[in-house]
Amino acid sequence: MSTHSTTPGSSGAEASPSGSHARWPHVRADGTHAPSAEHVKAHPYGTPGARIPPEHTGPAIGAPAASATVAMSVGQLAMLTVVVVASLRSLPAMSLYGLGSVTLFIIPAIVFLVPTALVAAELATGWKGGVFTWVREAFGDRTGFVAIWLQWIQNVVWYPTQIAFIAASLSFVIGDQGLSNNGLYTAAVILILYWGSTLITLAGGNLFAKVGSWSGILGTLFPAVLLIAFGAIWLATGEKSDTSLEASAVIPPWTGIASIVLIVSNVLAYAGMEVNAVHANDLKNPGKGFPRSIAFATLLILLVFILPTIAISLAVPKSELGLTNGINLAFKEFFDHWGIAWGTPAISLLIALGAFASVVTWIAGPSRGLLAAARTGLLPPALQRRNKAGVQVGILGVQGAIVTLLALLFVLVPSGNTAFIALVDMAAALYLIMYILMFAAAIRLRKTKPDVVRTYRTPAMTFVAGVGLVACVTAFVLAFVRPSGFTGLSESAYPLVVAGVVVVLGGPPLLFYALRRPSWDRRTPEERASADIVLVNPLPSSGTGTSGTAGTAGTAGTAGTGGAPPPQPGTASG
């Protein structure tokens, strides 16, 4: 930008000595010239005559302001959602159904994925703090604590399933694919990789977090695209398909409830949409942009799930498919058929590294939310302990002990597939309870606190949340039914094992809440003073939203907030 010399105190109406503009009408308060609109980037909130939203005044032209890149685009949020949600781990289970997997992926996407995203977006743009705050504001401290505990503990159950998937991929790298069915080998890999990841986390390292997104692309999206390409080439060259390609095959065969129980794993595959809901505030126009982002993300996620699943079923016979090694078997079939056998260990290593990076990235994340709740006095001081790097060693220690015990399932249960699906059902059952609480909280908060300003409001909230609620309850019941074709646990023992784990892992928050003591509250005076600030868009006059007493949280601070001005795009939701 060119500069012009001026006389101190001169008015800005005089002609500029050079440049294409005859006048320089913008003057700062101190009398010096300010650049005209042509000399600055377009403001992210619109021009002075057309603000977005209209009530937003924005900074004066030429004043320091947010750059035009502050707001997240619809496409950026959609891609972020795909990277977080999409995973290859659930594909082998669905490939057993061939084209029927299309139906088994689409149904939970409609009744669970979309409602979760829309409902969580409204909650995230109204209240800070995630599921703990959302459920607490609706039902009180105890239920809120149960919700955040379940969100954490389901991740603890998820770690063995993800690392079992890594173990299967590593068996192809080693060159002994039979190891993927060896329970002792799988358990050993789980323990080594999990505790290795924990040690990295305890050191306060951020290495894998920095490369997590690239690992997700190279270890998840690239293999998915490669599978799609190989499947297309397989069909185009006239190779034999190991699954029916008739249109009627889109409807899965019905042989009883147990034949569709694997759909529960699809619910878990879509879990995590509530994490990205906090980014709704980062869109310029959340009301219009967020639904478009979710529609785009849902389409991409379905493509990442469905097309590679069909590609696996084309090349690998159902009798050979395993829940942990199905993807590797498909790549082996493709590579061996085309005479490039070296590609199997290479792509298997890439898949393993991508999955491992996701484990390291998530080791500490969910436990941070539990620690925040724990420090309010909901967990004993020993579980709130942090090391010099600020890492929550108390919670991570318990987390590691649980993972160690769950890893033994692969040794005790003869069938590795049964152990895998049992862990999936356990994680799903725990997570589904949390989602049931979240959907119920959204319905209640819309009725009890309608005046709280939400940057995004879910259309037909009762219906949308109701659909998600019914879907979660149905999937929760199915989690206790043993899938057809799995051995190692009897039909009567299987639900007892799942129920036992759910009670043992899901019950502690109720016990801790009953035993809590005032001395457990480890917050600083500053943290206590800010504890009531839970609204994303409080009234300027009141300054804060209050969480108040359990069961009536937020009432005092939310009255009259319906007249508050809409928040600025890009506002963080905390």
Side-chain angles (χ1 to χ4, degrees):
M1 174 171 40
S2 60
T3 58
H4 305 280
S5 59
T6 61
T7 303
S10 64
S11 73
E14 63 206 38
S16 59
S18 61
S20 58
H21 305 288
R23 295 189 306 115
W24 195 279
H26 305 288
V27 184
R28 298 186 179 94
D30 61 358
T32 59
H33 297 304
S36 62
E38 291 84 358
H39 293 85
V40 297
K41 293 181 179 180
H43 196 276
Y45 309 137
T47 60
R51 293 296 190 196
I52 304 174
E55 296 87 352
H56 176 61
T57 57
I61 291 178
S67 72
T69 60
V70 168
M72 184 180 290
S73 71
V74 169
Q76 287 173 330
L77 181 54
M79 288 305 300
L80 180 62
T81 302
V82 172
V83 171
V84 170
V85 175
S87 170
L88 302 181
R89 179 184 54 79
S90 60
L91 305 191
M94 288 299 109
S95 61
L96 292 166
Y97 293 91
L99 286 184
S101 63
V102 175
T103 301
L104 297 179
F105 273 120
I106 290 178
I107 290 176
I110 294 173
V111 301
F112 176 76
L113 176 68
V114 174
T116 297
L118 297 180
V119 168
E122 172 165 328
L123 293 172
T125 58
W127 290 268
K128 304 175 185 179
V131 69
F132 172 60
T133 300
W134 305 340
V135 177
R136 184 191 67 183
E137 292 293 293
F139 302 114
D141 285 345
R142 178 169 55 186
T143 310
F145 183 42
V146 170
I148 188 62
W149 175 279
L150 291 172
Q151 188 180 56
W152 166 71
I153 199 66
Q154 78 82 26
N155 275 282
V156 177
V157 180
W158 169 82
Y159 295 127
T161 67
Q162 182 76 341
I163 302 178
F165 175 69
I166 296 172
S169 295
L170 291 177
S171 70
F172 284 79
V173 178
I174 296 170
D176 185 359
Q177 65 188 63
L179 286 174
S180 62
N181 294 318
N182 186 309
L184 186 60
Y185 159 79
T186 302
V189 173
I190 290 173
L191 294 178
I192 293 171
L193 293 187
Y194 177 80
W195 282 107
S197 303
T198 301
L199 290 176
I200 294 174
T201 303
L202 290 174
N206 197 33
L207 173 62
F208 282 90
K210 294 178 180 178
V211 299
S213 59
W214 281 105
S215 299
I217 294 173
L218 295 176
T220 300
L221 298 184
F222 175 70
V225 171
L226 200 59
L227 271 177
I228 295 171
F230 283 174
I233 295 172
W234 189 269
L235 290 178
T237 55
E239 298 296 335
K240 175 181 175 294
S241 171
D242 280 295
T243 191
S244 173
L245 297 178
E246 298 292 331
S248 59
V250 173
I251 305 299
W254 173 259
T255 57
I257 294 179
S259 65
I260 63 166
V261 168
L262 284 177
I263 198 172
V264 174
S265 68
N266 281 3
V267 172
L268 190 61
Y270 289 130
M273 287 294 285
E274 77 280 2
V275 175
N276 269 339
V278 298
H279 295 298
N281 266 331
D282 296 333
L283 297 171
K284 283 186 178 182
N285 189 336
K288 294 182 179 179
F290 191 75
R292 289 170 54 199
S293 173
I294 291 305
F296 186 30
T298 300
L299 176 61
L300 291 177
I301 291 170
L302 286 174
L303 291 177
V304 170
F305 280 159
I306 292 174
L307 295 182
T309 298
I310 295 175
I312 293 171
S313 65
L314 291 176
V316 183
K318 292 182 180 180
S319 59
E320 298 180 14
L321 275 172
L323 295 183
T324 57
N325 64 358
I327 290 177
N328 308 94
L329 286 172
F331 274 118
K332 185 177 187 302
E333 188 67 33
F334 288 133
F335 283 128
D336 288 352
H337 181 77
W338 291 314
I340 45 178
W342 57 266
T344 301
I347 195 70
S348 295
L349 180 60
L350 197 60
I351 292 172
L353 290 175
F356 180 60
S358 70
V359 170
V360 178
T361 302
W362 281 90
I363 284 286
S367 59
R368 290 194 191 102
L370 180 63
L371 177 66
R375 285 177 59 80
T376 66
L378 296 173
L379 282 179
L383 294 181
Q384 301 179 34
R385 192 165 59 88
R386 292 178 288 183
N387 63 10
K388 293 181 179 179
V391 180
Q392 53 278 17
V393 291
I395 293 176
L396 288 181
V398 174
Q399 182 171 294
I402 297 172
V403 170
T404 300
L405 292 175
L406 293 177
L408 296 179
L409 270 178
F410 287 89
V411 178
L412 300 175
V413 178
S415 169
N417 284 342
T418 301
F420 182 86
I421 197 62
L423 285 174
V424 168
D425 282 354
M426 293 171 195
L430 292 166
Y431 215 0
L432 286 166
I433 298 173
M434 186 220 78
Y435 280 115
I436 290 171
L437 294 175
M438 186 190 80
F439 284 124
I443 295 173
R444 179 174 175 80
L445 288 173
R446 179 65 78 88
K447 293 179 179 179
T448 59
K449 300 178 183 178
D451 293 332
V452 171
V453 176
R454 287 93 154 162
T455 312
Y456 172 79
R457 295 180 72 89
T458 304
M461 167 60 84
T462 301
F463 173 76
V464 172
V467 169
L469 188 62
V470 171
C472 288
V473 171
T474 303
F476 179 78
V477 173
L478 289 176
F480 294 87
V481 180
R482 190 186 73 167
S484 60
F486 294 98
T487 58
L489 288 173
S490 66
E491 290 188 2
S492 58
Y494 187 87
L496 292 177
V497 171
V498 175
V501 171
V502 169
V503 171
V504 170
L505 297 183
L510 297 175
L511 180 62
F512 283 126
Y513 190 83
L515 298 175
R516 71 193 188 283
R517 298 288 183 271
S519 60
W520 290 7
D521 191 333
R522 316 293 283 188
R523 291 173 295 174
T524 64
E526 292 77 13
E527 288 174 326
R528 289 193 183 96
S530 63
D532 291 339
I533 306 175
V534 298
L535 296 184
V536 175
N537 312 302
L539 263 179
S541 58
S542 62
T544 65
T546 59
S547 61
T549 307
T552 60
T555 303
T558 60
T561 55
Q568 300 179 7
T571 301
S573 62

